[in-house]
Amino acid sequence: TFLLLACLLPFYAVITGLSASIVRACMMASIFMLGQFIGLRLTAFKTITICLIGYLFINPYQIFHIGFQLSFLLTYGLILSTKILQKSPHSPVFSLFIMTAICQIISTPIIIYHFYEISLISFISNLLYVPLFTYLLFPVTIGVYLLITLEVLVEPGLVMLNFIYSLLEKSTELMSALPVSTLIFGKPSKLVMVCIVVCFIFILIGIEIRSKHLFNTCLITILMLFYQYNSQFFSENGEITFIDVGQGD
């Protein structure tokens, strides 16, 4: 079974578009299963590290792709945060909250660096959408697909599925239309970027060891983000950005 799955997963990656996150997940699963098949027990950390080296060996320029950065860093972050998850109460809701918080902390510097803004509702939307997709949308979609294959209750199944996805789309549009849904930080300098990353690393370390300095670290991080948010008011030089859209500027 392990060998069969390891051989089939690359085809799954191809038919789903070879995005960085899909390739990473399929490579990790294939490496882990091949290790199980030959009797080599690999930890999650070793598996993702082998996957990272192999991926960059094939395509080194992927390291500049935001999908690659987020996929690998978030996975590394969750693997390295095992102690935090183990210390948390064994509740599905609380575990989801902790995992979402960790992912939010890790992804924030990357999002600011690439998009110059962060979403204030992303934390709440992740808490809602992860269980929604896992326990409702995915099973219902598979069920409707089976009904279509068996040619049983096709029309009611499609109507129900369409209603659920339409409701999801409308709720997403309402959330994104909120006036304070995003904060625009602008492009951070290299020094500010390094400081923000270091602050977030110390926050994760402080959470893991339950440091008494965690509050101070969070305060410094907020001050760094506040500085970046207001950095345009501190600059003595103006800046004009031209965007070439083909028919004009």
Side-chain angles (χ1 to χ4, degrees), residues 160-173:
M160 179 183 65
L161 190 64
N162 185 60
F163 173 76
I164 294 174
Y165 275 97
S166 297
L167 193 63
L168 174 68
E169 184 178 358
K170 289 180 181 178
S171 65
T172 305
E173 289 175 354

Side-chain angles (χ1 to χ4, degrees), residues 155-226:
E155 193 67 27
L158 288 175
V159 170
M160 179 183 65
L161 190 64
N162 185 60
F163 173 76
I164 294 174
Y165 275 97
S166 297
L167 193 63
L168 174 68
E169 184 178 358
K170 289 180 181 178
S171 65
T172 305
E173 289 175 354
L174 287 174
M175 291 177 68
S176 62
L178 292 173
V180 290
S181 60
T182 56
L183 286 179
I184 299 175
F185 283 85
K187 184 178 181 179
S189 65
K190 292 180 180 179
L191 178 61
V192 172
M193 193 65 205
V194 169
C195 292
I196 292 174
V197 170
V198 170
C199 286
F200 277 115
I201 290 174
F202 274 103
I203 286 176
L204 289 172
I205 294 173
I207 295 173
E208 181 174 332
I209 64 175
R210 298 183 179 181
S211 172
K212 60 182 180 180
H213 301 296
L214 179 60
F215 177 79
N216 295 333
T217 307
C218 292
L219 185 61
I220 293 172
T221 306
I222 293 172
L223 288 175
M224 289 300 305
L225 292 173
F226 179 78

